[in-house]
Amino acid sequence: MISGAEIVIRCLQEEKVDYVFGYPGGSVLHIYDALFKQEEVKHILVRHEQAAVHAADAYSRSSQKVGVALVTSGPGVTNTVTGIATAYMDSIPMVVLCGQVPTAYIGQDAFQECDTVGITRPCVKHNFLVKDVKDLAATIKKAFHIASTGRPGPVVVDIPKDITAQVCDFDYPKSVQMRSYNPVVKGHLGQIKKAVQMLQEAKRPIIYTGGGVILSDAAERLTQLARKLNFPVTNTLMGLGGYPATDKQFVGMLGMHGTFEANNAMHYADVILAIGARFDDRVIGNPEHFGEEKRRVIHIDIDPSSISKRVKVDVPIVGNVNDVLDEILKLIDGGFTADPEVADWWKQIDEWRGRNSLAYRQSEHIMPQYVVEKLYEVTGGDAFVTSDVGQHQMFAAQYYKFDKPRRWINSGGLGTMGVGLPYGMGVLLANPGSQVACVTGEGSIQMCIQELSTCKQYELPIKIINLNNGMLGMVRQWQEMFYSKRYSQSYVTSLPDFVKLAESYGHVGMRIEKPEDVEPALRKAFTEYKDRLVFMDFIIDPGANVFPMVAAGKGLTEMILAEDI
Amino acid sequence: MRHIISILIENEAGALSRVAGLFSARGYNIESLTVAPTEDPSLSRMTILTWGSDEVLEQITKQLNKLVDVVKVVDLSEAAHVERELMLIKVRATGKDREEMKRMADIFRGRIIDVTESTYVIELTGASSKLDSFIAALDAGLILETVRTGVCGIGRGDRILKV
């Protein structure tokens, strides 16, 4: 017989969890005591619970394993909500263990009590309140199972303090049987055959892929398929790295800040092969405008509710992306003959490419795009790049050419500012020794800046690329373009001296103000200061904007290009 | 279009709030909702009356199926089914209205299940439209209180919703 607290830790050991990100408090003291008595599961003490969940999230994004966070009841839980919602929107497998007040106190407005199951319900894949210590191990097993299968997502397990003190036998279930939860894996063969037929008939095809390719580890299969078909490929923000960005078939990211060629190819395609993507508002722009072109859509997704949600689909295929792509590859193994008109389509795409829509104006100041280009060069295109939310995020997505999956770590769905630094922590712990750059801005970085302290404690040598324009850049860009330059609350005055700030936490700080200093600073950070966290404060051109841009409510082809301004 | 969705769901604490929360979060309508355990006490059966286009209904069923506690979902109104709703209605029953109320209850095959000197409680079962008609047939000034269960329904013949 062991205590509930020990059961929690044993479960984590059984799940081969090597890191738990968390913050102790009253309701989880028994669990922290059990954690203290063993060495297999290591704990990373963050400075704010939000960061624990973000770090666990990035640990998962960069490794395919389930991320785990551990927090106390009440404020511990409410602080995690942003992190949980972030993971939920991007379908990231994660288990969040929360302390709760003792069972007898629930509903009495006890100290540090909150309705965890109620508060987190709309932003989790599922959640549990454990009411009997005998159910504890089976519940945690279910949590890991639900989080990591089907369309992945975060699962919360709420554990009252008395449950962690009670004792019972430990028996970790080997497998999970649930009559209410049996996600489909294999795609329907008849539908897959229909899809192949449609691909053969396509004259203006496009392969449009999203985060589902990354989540199901299907990048290799996707590349094989795309090469065989010789069709153009575009990735969503979440799908970057799912197909090599340096490949000639890649037409760039699509959507609100997608390339001219990607958006046009998507809009004018006669057959769209959508894979693990969901046609969201940032991707297709105005749905009525998008619907004006006649086209046929094949959609592969593990979640049936993503299919025909925003765009009517002709051939739905519900299944794990990797398995379905495997089936398609088998079917066309004997050879695939594309319609001869596809050659003309490529000519059209090359013409669109000729617009060079990612060209940007030169300036005496540092241009943010230039910093990302240099970062790409200095890191050999092989770094993990985490990002926050805003202009810097789009610059990183547009100019860092991701050739591998799980290298681009950002909050695509929820758009959470502040994730970049804790994401860097999670990535480094999952991939020790790798190059990790956090491309951020002076607005976003301050939302979780306290984690500089965690990075010092665990010696996490993240390279922070702070694209500092002294403004909330994306807000300013919209105000400039759509609100007659009324810059309401988008100036950030009273910024700290980031160099001194970094130094006060024991890190290296640099301030870079001239374009010619960009590359040497980056080189220094990644070589001389390889093992240190370096905070690089790049003072950039305050007028730099993100182009191309599809304004809200506009159609995908109604892009504003840099040259139009 | 009016639809009746029947759901078999694990009889767990919070199951109802998961379904209700899904409807409010995604902006779907709930006209009525009834829920009670089935002959297997580990399962509850929920009946939801909702309105929406075919596309919305497709999303509602898909989203409901996505809830981890939901075992089965069926749109009853897609095929032959029977539906019933129960209403208890308290009316003023004095003077000449007392006899008239009894007559109205008889016409609609209702039963008077509580009698005082001045009131009746009438129990009426049927399709929702029948209950609406009964209310419309009464003098509004005489209705003291109404309570309706919301629609429940079941498929006809071999159409069976079971695990």
Side-chain angles (χ1 to χ4, degrees), chain A residues 388-408:
Chain A
D388 276 299
V389 172
Q391 286 185 322
H392 62 267
Q393 175 194 25
M394 292 300 119
F395 291 135
Q398 290 175 326
Y399 296 90
Y400 199 99
K401 297 184 277 290
F402 294 93
D403 278 344
K404 292 181 192 164
R406 299 189 183 274
R407 293 292 164 124
W408 166 238

Side-chain angles (χ1 to χ4, degrees), chain A residues 19-22 24 32 42-47 425 428-429 451-462 507 531 533:
Chain A
Y19 287 106
V20 171
F21 301 86
Y32 271 85
K42 293 178 278 296
H43 183 269
I44 302 297
L45 177 68
V46 294
R47 299 298 178 266
M425 296 168 10
L428 258 173
L429 287 160
E451 297 308 315
L452 284 174
S453 173
T454 311
C455 292
K456 185 63 196 167
Q457 182 173 349
Y458 300 97
E459 297 295 348
L460 301 173
I462 301 165
H507 301 305
D531 299 324
L533 184 148

Side-chain angles (χ1 to χ4, degrees), chain B residues 127-142:
Chain B
S128 305
S129 54
K130 176 180 157 182
L131 309 192
D132 295 340
S133 311
F134 183 65
I135 291 173
L138 298 183
D139 177 347
L142 298 177

Side-chain angles (χ1 to χ4, degrees), chain A residues 88 117 121-122 124-128 131 142 146 151 178-181 303-309 312, chain B residues 10 13-14 17-18 20-22 25-26 40 42-43 58-59 62-63 65-71 163:
Chain A
Y88 182 64
V117 167
R121 197 197 63 233
V124 293
K125 184 170 174 187
H126 198 58
N127 56 18
F128 296 97
K131 289 181 178 156
K142 270 188 194 169
I146 293 169
R151 179 177 181 173
M178 292 174 76
R179 61 180 169 187
S180 63
Y181 177 74
D303 177 6
S305 75
S306 281
I307 297 176
S308 286
K309 183 169 71 177
K312 185 97 187 66
Chain B
E10 296 287 353
S17 69
R18 289 183 206 278
L22 167 67
R26 296 202 179 259
D40 171 357
S42 70
L43 278 176
E58 185 183 330
Q59 269 299 311
K62 283 174 170 177
Q63 294 291 349
N65 269 311
K66 231 166 98 173
L67 293 178
V68 168
D69 280 341
V70 167
V71 184
V163 176

